[in-house]
Amino acid sequence: MSRYSANEIEAKWQQSWDQAETFLATRNDDKPKYYVLEMFPYPSGRIHMGHVRNYTMGDVIARYKLATGHNVLHPMGWDAFGMPAENAAMAIGGHPKDWTYSNIADMRNQMKPLGMSIDWSREFATCDPEYYGQQQALFLDMMEKGLVYRKNAIVNWDPEDMTVLANEQVEQGRGWRSGALVERRELTQWFFKISDYSDELLSALDGLDDWPAKVKLMQANWIGKSRGLQFGFERVDGGDPIEVYTTRPDTLMGASFVGISPDHPIAKHLEKNNPALAAFNIEARKGGTTEEAIETAEKLGFDTGLRVRHPLNPNWELPVWVANFILMDYGTGAIFACPAHDQRDLDFCRKYDLPVTDTFFALDDNTPVDRTAFVPPKTEKVNWVNHFAGLETATGQEAIDLTIDFAETAGWGKGVTQYRLRDWGLSRQRYWGCPIPVVHCADCGVVPENKQNLPVQLPDDVSFDMPGNPLDRHPTWRNCACPNCGNDALRETDTMDTFVDSSWYFIRFTAPRADTPTDRDEANYWMNVDQYIGGVEHAILHLLYSRFFARAMQITGHLEEKSSEPFNALFTQGMVTHEIYQTRKAGDTKARPIYHLPEEVKDGKLIATGETVEIIPSAKMSKSKKNVVDPISIIATYGADTARWFVLSDSPPERDVEWTASGAEAAYRHLNRVWNICDRVGTMDKTALGSGDDDLLRAMHKTIHDVTMGVETFGFNAAIAKLYGFTGILQKSKAGYTAQHEAIKTLAQLMAPMTPHLAEEIWAHQGGIGLIANAPWPVADPAMMVEDSVTLPIQINGKRRAEITVSKDLGKAAIETIALGEPAVIKALAGGAPKKVIVVPGRIVNVVV
RNA sequence: GCGGGCGUGAUGGAAUGGUAGACAUACCAGACUUAAAAUCUGGAGGCCGUAUGGCCGUGCGGGUUCAAGUCCCGCCGCCCGCACCA
C-alpha cells in the first residue's frame, strides 16, 4: 500500500506542468477565451492565507475553464510602488527598490509551491521602468485629451517633520513619527477629471449584471448623484451674493443661518482683517483630512458678522457663520441651515442659540422640534406648515421638486444635479511611485515630457535619512531641459498615486512587453476580464478608478469601446480569520496583553510554560495580534492541496473563513482518505464484479452535476461538501472494478481544480491519459441522475407530521389521496374535511385543518 | 457622523418562500490494538419522556403567507469602507 506524500507529488507535478507549458496563455481560434484574474498583491515579502484563498478561488475557475475548453489567461504581477518600501528604507535603511525586488523574489518563491495555474511568462511589477514608462505615456495622452489638470487641494501636513502625511500616518490627529498635531494645508496638485464621467460611471453600473449588488450600491452611493437647488443669498453689505447648494430647498422657510466652509473664499478674505476668525479657521483646519475625521469632530462655528437676505423675504436677515463641518469640495462650499429638519444643523443651533423654525410636521403630530430634528420622508405625505410654493401637504420629494420649479420660475434659483464624486487627486509627495512626466519651465510653464524621453526613471542615488521627498532635494535629477524651449527647467517631483498603477495593469497583462501601453490586437482579443476576484475593501476606489481608466484609454486610442467596462464579472471574497491568543502579567488585568502565535498554543495553553491563554474570538489575521498562520509552514506540514482544500471548504467564499488547526488536519485526513481509496481501487482485480454499480454511478453523476454547479456559481464550499459525500459513498461501495475505477477517476477530475496535485497523481495511478489538467471536464448524464421515487414531507398546518414515499411521476390528485390516508393526517382531521390541501409535486404536501 | 454588510447547534456553516441544522470541526460511544497513534463504525439543536412521541427553536419585537432562516416594518449587536494604506 502506498502512502499519500504531498511534498513529493506536488513538486513532481508542478514540474510536469512547467515542462508541458500547460498554463501558457495561447490564442486559438477554435476555442473561446477566458480571462480570470485575482487582484495582484502588494509585495510585502510574505504571502499570507488571504492570498492563498484569493488565488485558490481564481485557480479553481482557471482550471475549470481550461477543462471546459477555453483559452485561459491567468496572469500574475506585483503592485509594487507605495509607502511600505519607503517606510522600510527609513526604518532599517537600504533602498526601496532593493527591498521591493527582493520581496518580489521571496513572494514568488512562496507562491509557486501553491501550484497555481498561472502564466508566469507575463509577470511584471508596476515599479518596472518598462511598465511605469508606458503609464507615463498614457498620462501624457490623457493630458492631451484634457483629462488631467492641476489645482489646489488639501493634504495632511506635519509641521514638525515638514512633510505630507498619508491618512494612515495620522494617528488621533497627530503625525505618527513626530507626534505633532497635523494640519490641513493647501498644495497645488495633479488631478484626473473623473468627475466628467460621474453620470456615465453611475448609469453604466446597471449593465454590470455579474457584479455583486452591494458593490454597485456602494459605488452608486460614492458617486452620490443628487438633485437640488442652487441660489444666492444677497449680502446686506452689497458684496457678491453667497451661492449655496441644498438638496432640501423645501425647508427654506426654516432657514436659521448661512454656513460657509473655513476654506471658502469669503472666509479666507475676512480672516485677513479679523484675527479671531483667522484663529478659528486655523483651529478648524487642524485634524485629519478624512471625511470621518471631519464629520466626527466637534461641530464648531464662528459668526462672521455678515448678514444676508432671505430670498423669499428681503426684510428677513440671516447671519453668516463659518462652520468646521462644511466641505469646500462639495457643492458650493456654502449651505443654509435648517435646524428643525436636520440633526446636525439642530445640534449646531442649540449650541450657539440660533432660532429653530418648524416648516414640516408629521400628519399626526405637530409637536415643535426640540432636540431631535424631524426629517420629512421623501415618499410620505407631511404637513407643510410654512409653505410657499402652493401645497399644504406634500411628500418630501414633491416639496423638493415644487420648490425647484418655484425658484426657477421666480428666477432666483436653478435646479442643479450634483455629484459627491470628486476629481481624483493623483499627486503624491513621495519617492517610490511613478514620476509624473512633466517639466516646469520658467518661460513655457508646465510642459509635458517628450515621449521619446520616457520613461522618466526614478534616480537610484537617494537617501531616506531626512524627512521629505528625496526627489525634491536630489542634486541633478530635478534639473533638466525644457522639452519645449530647451532652457533649464525643473522636473515635477510629485509621483503618482499607486491606484494609477493598478487601474490598468489588467490591460497590460494582455501584452506585457509591448512598447506602447497596449497592443490593440492582443487587448481586443483577451479583454474583458471575464472573472475578477479580490477583496471587498477595493469595492469602491480601485474598481471605480479602473472603470474610469478603461474609458480614458478608449479616448486615448489604447482600447476598444467594448472594454469601457473592463470587468465582466466580479467576485469579492471574505477574509481569513483566526482566534487571538493572549496572556497578561499575572494578576494584572489592566496590563497590555501579550499575544501568542497559534503554533505556540495547544489545548488553550502555552506549550512552553503551560500557562492558560485567553482566547479572543476570531478576527482578521494580523501580525500585531499574532493570530497568523504562515502558508509556508502549512505547505511544509500538509502540502499545498490541503491548504487549498481547507480555505475553500469551511465558509462560503464571499464570507470570512476561520482558520483552525483542526480544520486543516481534517482536510489533510480527507485527502489521505481519497488517496487510500485510489490505492485500494488500483489493487482490485480488474475483472471483479460487485453489487451496487448503479447506485455508485448514479451518485457519481449527481456529484458531477452538483460540483459543476458549485464551481459555476462560486459555491466552492457546497461543492466540497458534495465531494465529501461522494467520497463517503465510494469508500463504502461494494461495486465492481469498472464502476469504482470510473468513480475514482471522476472524483479526481472533480477535485482537480481544488487539489490539482493529488488529482494528477490519482489520474496517473488509474492510467489516465495525459495530464488531468488538460482532460475534458466530466459531463453529468441526466438519465443517470434520476431517482425512481421521491420522499415528500406531509405538513399539517405548516408543521411536518409525516412523510410518504411515492413514484416521482405521481400526479397531484394521487399524492393528495395518499397523504390524506396517512394516520397522522386522519388523526388531525378527526373525521372532518381539510380546509385546504396544498400539493407541490416533488416538494411537499401541506394539509390545512 | 455617513455608507455597506452580517447575526442559524459547542464551533465554521447548509437550506430556488416548501422536512431548519447538509458537510466539517469539537464532543461522546464502539471496533481494531498489549497499549497508544492512525484508521473505521455509530450518536448527537434544546427541554420533557424508558419509548412511540410532544413542546420550543435561525439576534429581539411585530407583520404578510397554506407555509418565513428566507419577504416587509421597527429595534439591538458585531464587522467593513469613508478619497494619501494597498
Side-chain angles (χ1 to χ4, degrees):
Chain A
M1 174 174 166
S2 69
R3 290 177 59 91
Y4 170 56
S5 169
N7 288 327
E8 249 169 68
I9 67 169
E10 290 183 358
K12 179 177 76 180
W13 291 110
Q14 283 163 22
Q15 212 176 0
S16 299
W17 298 326
D18 273 352
Q19 276 165 9
E21 300 191 327
T22 310
F23 306 124
L24 221 54
T26 47
R27 290 178 60 171
N28 168 349
D29 291 338
D30 301 339
K31 296 179 179 177
K33 69 93 190 177
Y34 198 89
Y35 183 3
V36 56
L37 183 69
E38 302 94 52
M39 291 180 185
F40 67 162
Y42 179 79
S44 61
R46 300 295 290 178
I47 63 166
H48 53 69
M49 277 301 167
H51 292 127
V52 175
R53 194 174 190 217
N54 186 210
Y55 307 141
T56 301
M57 288 178 194
D59 202 44
V60 169
I61 302 293
R63 288 174 178 273
Y64 170 73
K65 289 295 173 182
L66 194 64
T68 50
H70 296 77
N71 298 323
V72 172
L73 173 57
H74 185 208
M76 180 59 67
W78 310 96
D79 190 10
F81 275 134
M83 291 205 311
E86 283 188 38
N87 293 340
M90 281 181 247
I92 58 171
H95 195 284
K97 183 175 172 180
D98 300 333
W99 184 85
T100 303
Y101 279 105
S102 130
N103 279 352
I104 289 173
D106 288 348
M107 273 179 87
R108 191 191 302 110
N109 286 338
Q110 293 159 26
M111 273 172 73
K112 290 216 167 170
L114 286 167
M116 300 293 166
S117 65
I118 287 166
D119 178 354
W120 285 100
S121 75
R122 291 171 185 257
E123 176 191 358
F124 62 79
T126 55
C127 63
D128 296 343
E130 296 75 25
Y131 181 77
Y132 72 71
Q134 295 306 329
Q135 185 162 300
Q136 290 167 342
L138 203 52
F139 181 90
L140 294 179
D141 291 342
M142 288 170 74
M143 227 175 138
E144 201 181 311
K145 295 285 180 189
L147 292 166
V148 183
Y149 70 102
R150 297 213 309 160
K151 72 168 179 186
N152 286 348
I154 292 165
V155 295
N156 296 309
W157 180 259
D158 184 323
E160 203 167 305
D161 275 354
M162 306 289 278
T163 187
V164 175
L165 297 179
N167 284 333
E168 72 157 15
Q169 296 174 318
V170 179
E171 290 166 355
Q172 281 147 14
R174 293 173 181 275
W176 66 342
R177 276 179 217 283
S178 69
L181 276 174
V182 169
E183 297 166 9
R184 283 178 245 158
R185 177 175 279 209
E186 277 201 355
L187 238 56
T188 305
Q189 307 203 63
W190 289 91
F191 285 83
F192 286 129
K193 288 214 82 178
I194 190 172
S195 65
D196 278 2
Y197 294 84
S198 298
D199 206 51
E200 156 77 12
L201 289 168
L202 179 65
S203 58
L205 287 171
D206 285 343
L208 300 176
D209 296 331
D210 291 317
W211 280 43
K214 68 170 175 181
V215 173
K216 289 191 279 188
L217 185 60
M218 285 162 89
Q219 292 220 349
N221 287 335
W222 187 261
I223 294 167
K225 185 176 184 172
S226 67
R227 173 120 177 114
L229 184 71
Q230 186 173 325
F231 63 96
F233 278 95
E234 299 294 338
R235 275 163 64 172
V236 173
D237 66 3
D240 287 341
I242 298 177
E243 284 289 315
V244 300
Y245 172 77
T246 175
T247 56
R248 290 310 298 244
D250 50 331
T251 64
L252 186 53
M253 290 304 282
S256 180
F257 67 94
V258 168
I260 61 175
S261 165
D263 300 309
H264 194 281
I266 291 174
K268 286 185 173 173
H269 176 74
L270 289 176
E271 74 180 16
K272 286 178 196 158
N273 297 314
N274 185 341
L277 176 58
F280 175 84
N281 284 346
I282 286 168
E283 203 54 36
R285 287 179 200 127
K286 279 190 182 152
T289 60
T290 67
E291 191 170 308
E292 183 193 6
I294 292 163
E295 290 288 321
T296 52
E298 194 193 353
K299 307 289 179 284
L300 298 172
F302 186 96
D303 187 350
T304 62
L306 285 185
R307 293 293 179 269
V308 293
R309 297 187 198 285
H310 195 281
L312 298 177
N313 177 0
N315 297 322
W316 179 359
E317 291 186 7
L318 297 167
V320 178
W321 285 62
V322 177
N324 65 344
F325 58 86
I326 301 171
L327 300 171
M328 193 56 222
D329 281 326
Y330 188 71
T332 59
I335 60 153
F336 78 79
C338 177
H341 308 299
D342 181 288
Q343 190 62 44
R344 188 170 59 183
D345 293 347
L346 182 64
D347 295 343
F348 190 91
C349 286
R350 290 299 184 213
K351 181 170 178 174
Y352 291 107
D353 205 20
L354 290 156
V356 176
T357 313
D358 296 280
T359 65
F360 290 98
F361 287 118
L363 289 179
D364 55 358
D365 180 9
N366 55 2
T367 321
V369 160
D370 179 28
R371 291 281 159 186
T372 306
F374 170 61
V375 182
K378 286 200 171 175
T379 55
E380 264 174 54
K381 292 266 185 198
V382 290
N383 284 324
W384 194 351
V385 289
N386 237 324
H387 68 93
F388 53 89
L391 278 185
E392 303 223 347
T393 63
T395 66
Q397 193 60 56
E398 286 165 358
I400 292 166
D401 295 342
L402 201 63
T403 306
I404 292 172
D405 289 348
F406 180 85
E408 287 186 338
T409 308
W412 54 266
K414 63 177 193 292
V416 168
T417 300
Q418 274 283 346
Y419 297 89
R420 202 183 79 100
L421 181 65
R422 312 200 290 256
D423 275 334
W424 173 7
L426 68 115
S427 281
R428 296 293 180 268
Q429 293 72 38
R430 292 175 218 296
Y431 166 78
W432 193 233
C434 172
I436 293 175
V438 302
V439 163
H440 299 270
C441 170
D443 297 325
C444 311
V446 177
V447 183
E449 183 56 275
N450 282 326
K451 273 203 183 165
Q452 57 266 32
N453 295 338
L454 300 184
V456 175
Q457 285 217 38
L458 288 169
D460 285 339
D461 51 338
V462 289
S463 68
F464 293 87
D465 42 12
M466 44 184 128
N469 182 352
L471 294 177
D472 278 337
R473 56 171 187 265
H474 193 279
T476 54
W477 187 81
R478 279 200 78 177
N479 303 307
C480 61
C482 171
N484 199 25
C485 67
N487 290 339
D488 287 351
L490 287 177
R491 228 172 249 304
E492 170 67 61
T493 57
D494 281 358
T495 52
M496 297 186 201
D497 178 8
T498 56
F499 272 121
V500 181
D501 312 335
S502 56
S503 290
W504 71 288
Y505 77 103
F506 46 90
I507 302 168
R508 184 71 182 167
F509 273 138
T510 64
R513 314 289 171 232
D515 53 12
T516 46
T518 63
D519 175 323
R520 286 280 297 237
D521 184 48
E522 291 292 324
N524 192 33
Y525 178 76
W526 289 110
M527 286 297 286
N528 295 341
V529 176
D530 292 282
Q531 181 67 59
Y532 196 31
I533 306 167
V536 73
E537 66 272 21
H538 294 293
I540 299 176
L541 292 181
H542 163 58
L543 292 165
L544 192 66
Y545 291 158
S546 297
R547 295 175 63 217
F548 164 68
F549 249 66
R551 287 164 172 79
M553 288 178 75
Q554 189 191 312
I555 287 162
T556 50
H558 297 294
L559 203 58
E560 308 272 332
E561 189 182 348
K562 65 161 188 172
S563 302
S564 57
E565 283 300 336
F567 309 117
N568 290 349
L570 172 71
F571 190 87
T572 53
Q573 103 269 0
M575 298 180 298
V576 182
T577 65
H578 198 286
E579 288 177 332
I580 298 166
Y581 305 119
Q582 66 178 37
T583 54
R584 291 175 202 270
K585 256 191 184 152
D588 188 354
T589 51
K590 287 196 183 121
R592 278 199 151 196
I594 303 158
Y595 296 108
H596 303 281
L597 290 166
E599 66 235 40
E600 297 168 350
V601 176
K602 193 170 197 292
D603 299 329
K605 293 191 170 68
L606 282 178
I607 295 169
T609 63
E611 192 183 347
T612 303
V613 296
E614 199 182 331
I615 299 176
I616 311 289
S618 223
K620 180 178 183 171
M621 286 188 177
S622 84
K623 274 185 197 159
S624 62
K625 297 273 197 296
K626 287 202 176 181
N627 61 335
V628 290
V629 175
D630 184 5
I632 303 308
S633 73
I634 296 297
I635 292 171
T637 312
Y638 301 111
D641 281 343
T642 294
R644 296 169 57 117
W645 183 261
F646 180 70
V647 292
L648 295 175
S649 66
D650 243 27
S651 292
E654 68 274 16
R655 266 206 243 170
D656 294 350
V657 64
E658 182 178 8
W659 184 277
T660 60
S662 55
E665 270 163 39
Y668 181 64
R669 266 205 306 277
H670 179 74
L671 300 190
N672 272 283
R673 195 150 46 220
V674 173
W675 173 252
N676 290 339
I677 294 169
C678 169
D679 196 49
R680 177 181 55 92
V681 174
T683 59
M684 280 174 82
D685 176 359
K686 304 280 182 287
T687 60
L689 298 177
S691 60
D693 287 16
D694 283 357
D695 289 340
L696 180 62
L697 293 178
R698 193 179 299 118
M700 183 185 89
H701 280 275
K702 277 177 103 159
T703 306
I704 293 171
H705 175 264
D706 292 345
V707 172
T708 304
M709 288 301 290
V711 172
E712 293 264 2
T713 61
F714 270 81
F716 302 130
N717 58 327
I720 283 179
K722 299 291 183 188
L723 288 167
Y724 270 113
F726 181 57
T727 305
I729 290 169
L730 176 55
Q731 185 160 35
K732 295 187 193 92
S733 174
K734 299 276 185 284
Y737 171 78
T738 309
Q740 292 210 36
H741 173 69
E742 194 181 339
I744 186 70
K745 275 179 76 176
T746 302
L747 178 61
Q749 284 191 280
L750 296 176
M751 289 172 71
M754 296 102 170
T755 58
H757 312 87
L758 173 61
E760 291 286 5
E761 189 68 15
I762 293 172
W763 189 253
H765 193 258
Q766 296 292 329
I769 296 160
L771 289 166
I772 202 169
N774 288 322
W777 190 251
V779 176
D781 179 355
M784 286 297 295
M785 290 163 43
V786 179
E787 300 276 0
D788 303 332
S789 59
V790 55
T791 301
L792 297 179
I794 310 296
Q795 291 183 335
I796 294 164
N797 293 337
K799 291 193 181 235
R800 195 186 79 93
R801 282 300 125 100
E803 60 182 35
I804 56 173
T805 300
V806 297
S807 158
K808 69 175 171 61
D809 307 314
L810 204 62
K812 265 189 176 187
I815 292 171
E816 183 174 333
T817 310
I818 296 171
L820 292 179
E822 276 293 298
V825 177
I826 291 167
K827 192 177 148 201
L829 288 172
K835 268 192 199 149
K836 198 170 179 183
V837 181
I838 292 118
V839 178
V840 185
R843 278 277 170 207
I844 204 163
V845 180
N846 191 9
V847 182
V848 185
V849 301

